[in-house]
Amino acid sequence: MTQQSYAILGSGAVGGLYGAMLARAGHDVHFLLRSDYEHVRDHGWRIESHWGDFDLAQVNAHGSVDTMPACDVTLVGLKTVNNDSLPSLLSKPTGAGGVALVLQNGLGVEKDVAQMIGPERVFGGCCFLCSNKVGPGHIRHIDYGRIVFGPYQNSPATLAKAEQICAEMTAAGIEVQTSDDLNMVRWRKLMWNIPFNGLSVALDASTDKLIGNESSVDLIRDIITEVHRAAGACGASIDSTWIEKTIDHTRTMKPYDSSMRLDYLAGRPMELQRILKTPIDTASAAGVAMPKVQMLYQMLVFMEAVRRTGGA
Amino acid sequence: MTQQSYAILGSGAVGGLYGAMLARAGHDVHFLLRSDYEHVRDHGWRIESHWGDFDLAQVNAHGSVDTMPACDVTLVGLKTVNNDSLPSLLSKPTGAGGVALVLQNGLGVEKDVAQMIGPERVFGGCCFLCSNKVGPGHIRHIDYGRIVFGPYQNSPATLAKAEQICAEMTAAGIEVQTSDDLNMVRWRKLMWNIPFNGLSVALDASTDKLIGNESSVDLIRDIITEVHRAAGACGASIDSTWIEKTIDHTRTMKPYDSSMRLDYLAGRPMELQRILKTPIDTASAAGVAMPKVQMLYQMLVFMEAVRRTGGA
């Protein structure tokens, strides 16, 4: 079977890392870049990874989708705050019938894409990794790295397509597995993302600080418990041992600034809608309140407004 | 009837203001001072008040309770974080059978004093005022000012004593009223203190910022609603219109840094136990959870630990 071609929309800490690994394995990979387009075009990628460092000198770098070819698989790694631009970005790389694998954070992100290209061509996944873009064309991947993904709509054809992508990623050195329960995968990731992204901003603290204090761990546990309960009401049955596992995994994680904290510190918009508001609304529609998650959201909206306007 | 003598334990924004007004009216008033003892002894009080500025040159200033006489009424205006020292402070000024009027913030503060001098000699009250000590011997009282107080145990004798104190304070120019429902008075004050003290620290914002943003007002309303519900379960029946009234009153208040925010900014311990933890525990014992208040407490405990120890 010939290797599939890949388009990478959003070549940051996630898309840059996985795309570079696929390119290293011989795939035809096309990266859409913004601020570091010229740097990557001229100098390629510098990947520092606990899976092994490497440089990739020759990169198909694009400053616009206009020059991108249609690809078999489009990885969507954009920040969800930019999803307004998705329709204009997706049409070229998916133009010949290719599929999209949405690796964005939060809930409801596949739905956005499914409305554009049809649900049977949409896959979604969560990335469990500590990775940041630390400079132009420079990714630093310090811990973890696993992708868990699956079809937005399960069918023999979509499940087979997922296995094909999974096999290619595995061959490229990526730790990856498929799932036929994308909803569960998303909610399980939210059990980490909501407390640790949110509190890292609200309490101005990296993960090691949050996990090193009894009071913040109590709060983290309360928030994870709310998310776990909401997940169950939303059809995502997750074993309750995952509440403590989520905390314990973070204890063994290297000190890390979450993506939301990096966005906040850098003055970029935070992914408040997809990581917090959509889960709150989805749980609420299923009859479950998440008061502490809601409070976290209310605080973060205030903090973003203060930063933007001085609080008015 | 001869004028009663007053001892002021904790001569800060509250005790300093009311004590100076009583002294101006001719009462024998004895102030216990700490950091600005020598300044007040030598230069007296400088009171800036929206009720009228005045200076008080001759002040009975004490650097220790050892020199204080027994008084008819002891006003307790100390921060509750110093309540460990109350037994040693109260014995002299209340030594001849005088009463204590506890003007501290939070819940459960009269109980501490009642265990020392007996419940029939204890009164408690809440001060609704915007006042800060802005320098040695210098009080700035910018808005409001009313005291609402009453007996810890209602009886004809204690209610009559409350009226006597109230009449003297009124004659001294203080806006004051008595109540025979101290529990209700305390919970109604908590409806302001919990959201505005707590969020002013957690969100690093003065009251005008908190009240000027839709998301923080939503959160404030949620927190006040939790406190209102807890109050009802704890025997304090407060009309539900007080939820919006508490917000509306704050809208018309001059921009103000709460006492907890000033304590936090100055590196002093915050009154987390009496303003947040005791209400949470009291409500919990009455079967009512306050999840957002609890989250606020958890965050503030973390913030205080980080400031003290770097988060360990």
Side-chain angles (χ1 to χ4, degrees):
Chain A
M1 190 179 277
T2 42
Q3 286 191 323
Q4 296 183 106
S5 59
Y6 286 80
I8 312 292
L9 299 184
S11 303
V14 169
L17 173 68
Y18 296 129
M21 292 180 76
L22 288 162
R24 182 182 59 170
H27 290 272
D28 186 31
V29 181
H30 293 265
F31 296 88
L32 179 68
L33 292 132
R34 295 286 190 217
S35 59
D36 55 355
Y37 159 61
E38 289 174 359
H39 183 96
V40 174
R41 182 195 62 194
D42 297 341
H43 305 286
W45 285 108
R46 166 89 192 113
I47 309 291
E48 284 179 65
S49 168
H50 75 113
W51 288 339
D53 301 347
F54 67 97
D55 293 317
L56 195 71
Q58 297 298 321
V59 173
N60 297 314
H62 300 266
S64 151
V65 283
D66 297 339
T67 60
M68 294 183 92
C71 291
D72 297 312
V73 183
T74 297
L75 298 190
V76 180
L78 296 169
K79 294 277 178 189
T80 53
V81 295
N82 300 319
N83 276 10
D84 284 354
S85 63
L86 267 185
S88 65
L89 296 178
L90 275 170
S91 57
K92 280 275 316 240
T94 65
V99 302
L101 171 50
V102 184
L103 296 178
Q104 298 181 305
N105 276 318
L107 200 66
V109 288
E110 290 84 10
K111 196 175 171 187
D112 294 342
V113 178
Q115 286 168 345
M116 299 169 213
I117 63 173
E120 72 288 354
R121 289 167 60 198
V122 176
F123 298 77
C126 293
C127 307
F128 299 83
L129 84 170
C130 303
S131 180
N132 297 136
K133 187 182 272 191
V134 293
H138 188 176
I139 307 285
R140 184 172 291 152
H141 166 217
I142 61 169
D143 216 352
Y144 298 95
R146 189 160 48 105
I147 305 175
V148 183
F149 79 99
Y152 181 57
Q153 282 188 351
N154 291 333
S155 74
T158 59
L159 289 164
K161 175 57 99 174
E163 292 307 330
Q164 182 189 0
I165 297 170
C166 184
E168 290 187 340
M169 287 183 161
T170 302
I174 299 169
E175 190 185 333
V176 57
Q177 65 184 70
T178 59
S179 169
D180 61 0
D181 192 349
L182 179 57
N183 185 48
M184 187 273 286
V185 172
R186 288 249 164 243
W187 276 101
R188 205 175 62 196
K189 180 76 189 287
L190 288 170
M191 287 171 67
W192 193 90
N193 262 344
I194 289 176
F196 287 100
N197 274 281
L199 290 176
S200 71
V201 175
L203 288 173
D204 185 24
S206 52
T207 51
D208 55 316
K209 287 274 196 298
L210 294 175
I211 215 73
N213 175 278
E214 191 183 345
S215 185
S216 48
V217 170
D218 284 348
L219 175 55
I220 287 164
R221 184 179 295 109
D222 291 347
I223 289 176
I224 296 176
T225 303
E226 282 188 2
V227 178
H228 177 261
R229 184 159 169 263
C234 294
S237 173
I238 300 170
D239 193 274
S240 63
T241 57
W242 274 96
I243 296 170
E244 285 305 316
K245 269 187 207 168
T246 304
I247 296 173
D248 290 341
H249 284 178
T250 310
R251 280 191 211 284
T252 63
M253 195 184 280
K254 295 192 176 72
Y256 181 62
D257 277 333
S258 74
S259 63
M260 190 175 282
R261 177 162 156 82
L262 289 174
D263 287 339
Y264 181 74
L265 293 176
R268 296 187 294 262
M270 297 184 280
E271 297 188 282
L272 302 181
Q273 293 304 309
R274 290 311 194 201
I275 293 182
L276 290 135
K277 189 66 164 58
T278 304
I280 290 167
D281 291 344
T282 305
S284 176
V288 172
M290 296 195 285
K292 290 187 176 182
V293 176
Q294 191 195 30
M295 175 160 167
L296 193 53
Y297 174 73
Q298 290 167 320
M299 292 181 73
L300 294 168
V301 169
F302 174 85
M303 290 175 75
E304 188 152 272
V306 164
R307 199 187 46 185
R308 203 172 51 240
T309 67
Chain B
M1 190 178 281
T2 42
Q3 287 191 322
Q4 297 183 105
S5 59
Y6 286 80
I8 313 292
L9 298 184
S11 303
V14 169
L17 173 68
Y18 296 129
M21 293 180 76
L22 288 162
R24 180 183 59 171
H27 290 271
D28 186 30
V29 181
H30 294 265
F31 296 88
L32 179 68
L33 291 132
R34 295 286 190 217
S35 60
D36 56 353
Y37 159 62
E38 289 173 359
H39 183 97
V40 174
R41 181 194 63 193
D42 297 341
H43 306 287
W45 285 108
R46 166 88 191 113
I47 309 292
E48 284 180 67
S49 168
H50 75 112
W51 288 339
D53 300 346
F54 67 98
D55 292 316
L56 195 71
Q58 295 300 321
V59 173
N60 297 315
H62 300 266
S64 152
V65 283
D66 297 340
T67 61
M68 294 184 91
C71 291
D72 297 312
V73 183
T74 298
L75 298 190
V76 180
L78 295 169
K79 295 277 178 188
T80 52
V81 295
N82 300 319
N83 275 11
D84 283 352
S85 63
L86 267 184
S88 64
L89 296 178
L90 275 170
S91 58
K92 282 270 324 228
T94 65
V99 302
L101 171 51
V102 184
L103 297 178
Q104 298 182 304
N105 275 318
L107 201 65
V109 288
E110 289 85 10
K111 197 175 171 186
D112 294 342
V113 178
Q115 286 168 343
M116 298 170 215
I117 63 173
E120 73 286 354
R121 289 165 62 196
V122 177
F123 298 77
C126 293
C127 308
F128 300 82
L129 85 169
C130 302
S131 180
N132 298 135
K133 186 182 272 191
V134 294
H138 187 177
I139 308 284
R140 186 173 290 150
H141 167 217
I142 62 170
D143 216 353
Y144 298 95
R146 189 160 48 104
I147 304 174
V148 183
F149 79 100
Y152 181 57
Q153 284 188 349
N154 290 334
S155 74
T158 60
L159 289 164
K161 173 58 96 173
E163 291 307 328
Q164 182 189 0
I165 297 170
C166 184
E168 289 187 341
M169 286 183 162
T170 302
I174 299 168
E175 190 185 332
V176 57
Q177 65 184 70
T178 58
S179 170
D180 60 1
D181 191 350
L182 179 57
N183 185 48
M184 187 275 285
V185 171
R186 287 250 164 242
W187 277 101
R188 204 174 65 197
K189 180 75 189 287
L190 288 171
M191 287 171 67
W192 194 91
N193 262 344
I194 289 176
F196 287 101
N197 274 282
L199 290 175
S200 71
V201 176
L203 289 172
D204 185 24
S206 53
T207 52
D208 55 317
K209 288 274 196 300
L210 293 175
I211 214 73
N213 174 279
E214 192 182 344
S215 185
S216 48
V217 169
D218 284 347
L219 175 55
I220 288 163
R221 184 179 295 107
D222 291 347
I223 290 176
I224 296 176
T225 303
E226 282 188 0
V227 178
H228 177 261
R229 184 159 169 264
C234 296
S237 174
I238 300 170
D239 194 274
S240 63
T241 57
W242 273 97
I243 296 170
E244 285 305 315
K245 268 187 207 167
T246 304
I247 296 172
D248 290 341
H249 284 177
T250 311
R251 279 191 212 285
T252 62
M253 194 183 282
K254 294 191 176 73
Y256 180 61
D257 277 332
S258 74
S259 62
M260 189 174 283
R261 178 164 156 79
L262 289 174
D263 286 340
Y264 181 75
L265 293 176
R268 296 187 294 260
M270 297 184 279
E271 298 188 282
L272 302 181
Q273 294 303 311
R274 290 311 193 201
I275 294 182
L276 290 133
K277 189 65 166 59
T278 304
I280 290 167
D281 291 344
T282 306
S284 176
V288 172
M290 296 195 285
K292 290 187 176 182
V293 176
Q294 191 194 30
M295 173 160 167
L296 193 53
Y297 174 72
Q298 290 166 320
M299 294 182 71
L300 295 168
V301 169
F302 174 84
M303 291 175 74
E304 189 152 271
V306 165
R307 199 186 46 184
R308 202 172 53 239
T309 68

